[in-house]
Amino acid sequence: MNIGIVIESLDPRRGGVEQWTWQFTNRLAAWGHTVHVLAQSFGPQKLGRGIVAHHVESGRSRLEFAAAAEARARALPLDVVHDTGCGWYADVFQPHGGSRTASAEQNLLLAPRWLRPLKRRAARWLPRYREFRRLVDRQYAQPRCAYLAISQMVASDMRRYHSIDDRQIRLVYNGVDLERFSPRHRAVHRVAVRRRFGIADHELLLLIVAHNFRLKGVPTLLRTVTELARKDEPVRLAIAGGKRLAPWQRILRRLGVADRVTLLGSIDDPVPLYAAADVYVQPTFYDPCSLVVLEALASGLPVITSRFNGAGELITPGQEGFILDDPADHAELTNMLRRLVDPLRRQAIGVAARRLAEEHSLDRNCREILAVYEEIVARRQQRAA
């Protein structure tokens, strides 16, 4: 099958959608498909056999990129076009960032309550948001497109904000590479990483991997660590990701937890961190279906996330981790962490976490999407007959 994948950048170092698309395209190529990737930029990684790069020149505008990607896709002999959320010409539209409209609403929760109506009104007139609306209007106006929702939350948003018919929606959760992310890496990395950061055996190491610290709930996590530190609880926190870290260093010093929290910045490989950590915590305000949560589960870590994370739909509270009702509620988060102090309980939850991840492998994810492709091709052939 000739498959077209539309993405802004195919560089697995950049974030969740880029990492997932890199794995997905390589898996499809390994299964004998030809994958044409239409993108503005590509990372330094060498593309595998069966993957063809198409540079889409588009200027600065998202609308220009969508139009240029459409023109390039129409010129290729493709059986199916799969857009990851940045264009409008597609047989399969899979917005890895979720609904832009829903995301904007959730972002408002980060502002003071009195400011939210003002920000909502301002967004109606700002050029950037007007461009987003024009793009979104075209993305969700494709009557023959299959809309891939990566969680029930995203499917609900598609219905609520974009009036997509249930018959067009396919639910396909993200998948995780079970070989790359595994509890067995602890034997290789755990002791060395903890020694490097001066973390004692008895200390509880929390981990979060994030780029947008505020959206992912880092302030809530810092308030929790501060409260635990005041009571002399043996808790440490590692934060991976982010770029402008100096303001956060000042916040740590003001809170008095600079010796408890390590800001790692961008990392190339999170595997050693999962191996060193005891609990993965992401009190996010919006995550369609967080890949890092799946990676943590596959690594055998108990996970605490919020109900605004589509990946949390997979977790049974108390079994593989816990679900925070309010991502700003540091008191509730503190109580959840105290339930994970016992290493035997963490071990049992970690085993259950790995078992859950095994039900959501990358191979299963790819097969489910291929089934959607085959459905589309078959339907097209029926119309042509």
Side-chain angles (χ1 to χ4, degrees):
M1 189 179 293
N2 282 315
I3 301 164
I5 303 289
V6 180
I7 186 171
E8 289 184 347
S9 175
L10 185 65
D11 185 347
R13 303 169 303 172
R14 293 189 57 171
V17 60
E18 293 86 3
Q19 175 66 34
W20 179 89
T21 304
W22 175 263
Q23 295 178 84
F24 180 62
T25 54
N26 278 280
R27 194 59 52 96
L28 292 182
W31 290 349
H33 301 282
T34 300
V35 185
H36 298 263
V37 181
L38 289 70
Q40 290 185 93
S41 63
F42 293 80
Q45 301 82 6
K46 183 179 179 181
L47 297 180
R49 183 178 180 182
I51 302 175
V52 185
H54 300 269
H55 289 270
V56 178
E57 300 295 336
S58 63
R60 297 180 180 179
S61 166
R62 289 178 172 81
L63 299 176
E64 289 178 13
F65 173 78
E70 176 183 5
R72 181 61 67 90
R74 286 185 180 276
L76 295 172
L78 302 174
D79 297 304
V80 65
V81 178
H82 180 163
D83 191 290
T84 59
C86 49
W88 56 50
Y89 176 72
D91 300 293
V92 174
F93 185 71
Q94 184 185 25
H96 276 262
S99 161
R100 290 185 187 272
T101 308
S103 178
E105 285 295 311
Q106 288 301 115
N107 266 281
L108 287 175
L109 297 179
L110 302 176
R113 191 178 297 274
W114 63 268
L115 186 58
R116 295 172 194 171
L118 298 176
K119 291 177 72 71
R120 188 177 284 111
R121 284 197 294 270
R124 296 174 185 169
W125 304 105
L126 292 173
R128 177 171 176 264
Y129 290 97
R130 290 170 66 184
E131 181 183 79
F132 274 139
R133 286 197 297 275
R134 290 175 61 191
L135 177 63
V136 167
D137 286 346
R138 292 198 62 172
Q139 288 175 333
Y140 289 97
Q142 304 178 72
R144 291 184 176 177
C145 181
Y147 290 90
L148 259 61
I150 58 178
S151 64
Q152 291 282 5
M153 183 181 75
V154 172
S156 176
D157 289 340
M158 287 177 173
R159 300 183 196 100
R160 177 183 177 187
Y161 293 106
H162 309 291
S163 302
I164 299 300
D165 192 292
D166 277 343
R167 290 172 293 185
Q168 286 184 265
I169 298 174
R170 306 290 183 275
L171 176 63
V172 181
Y173 285 102
N174 280 333
V176 61
D177 185 336
L178 296 172
E179 291 299 314
R180 183 182 177 201
F181 301 99
S182 169
R184 70 172 182 271
H185 297 309
R186 290 177 191 160
V188 179
H189 298 294
R190 183 175 176 84
V191 172
V193 172
R194 291 175 74 97
R195 283 180 179 169
R196 187 192 319 157
F197 297 117
I199 299 165
D201 291 343
H202 71 282
E203 290 182 305
L204 186 73
L205 177 59
L206 314 178
L207 172 66
I208 182 171
V209 181
H211 292 291
N212 187 335
F213 284 6
R214 294 194 181 279
L215 185 65
K216 305 300 181 176
V218 168
T220 304
L221 192 45
L222 292 182
R223 286 194 292 272
T224 296
V225 171
T226 301
E227 182 175 331
L228 292 170
R230 286 171 181 163
K231 297 183 178 179
D232 205 28
E233 303 267 7
V235 173
R236 300 283 295 274
L237 169 63
I239 303 175
K243 293 181 180 179
R244 292 182 288 273
L245 301 179
W248 292 95
Q249 291 283 12
R250 290 194 290 271
I251 290 172
L252 297 182
R253 288 194 292 270
R254 188 173 72 246
L255 293 174
V257 293
D259 60 335
R260 298 271 190 151
V261 181
T262 303
L263 296 175
L264 300 170
S266 297
I267 57 171
D268 293 327
D269 183 10
V271 168
L273 296 178
Y274 292 128
D278 298 300
V279 183
Y280 185 84
V281 189
Q282 188 162 306
T284 181
F285 284 81
Y286 187 75
D287 254 307
C289 185
S290 174
L291 278 173
V292 289
V293 162
L294 292 175
E295 292 169 1
L297 291 169
S299 302
L301 288 178
V303 168
I304 300 176
T305 189
S306 80
R307 66 185 179 93
F308 298 114
N309 187 346
E313 298 167 8
L314 306 175
I315 294 172
T316 301
Q319 187 165 307
E320 299 93 8
F322 297 98
I323 304 300
L324 195 63
D325 186 60
D326 178 0
D329 190 346
H330 70 278
E332 183 183 1
L333 178 56
T334 301
N335 290 334
M336 289 176 175
L337 285 171
R338 285 194 172 116
R339 297 168 71 180
L340 292 170
V341 169
D342 180 9
L344 292 179
R345 186 172 194 190
R346 286 201 309 273
Q347 182 180 16
I349 292 177
V351 170
R354 172 65 185 187
R355 200 158 47 233
L356 173 62
E358 289 171 351
E359 298 174 8
H360 296 277
S361 68
L362 179 62
D363 279 355
R364 175 178 173 174
N365 183 208
C366 295
R367 286 195 299 270
E368 289 178 346
I369 294 176
L370 274 174
V372 177
Y373 291 174
E374 291 163 358
E375 173 194 338
I376 288 167
V377 171
R379 192 166 59 235
R380 185 182 298 138
Q381 291 171 345
Q382 288 174 356
R383 288 199 302 267

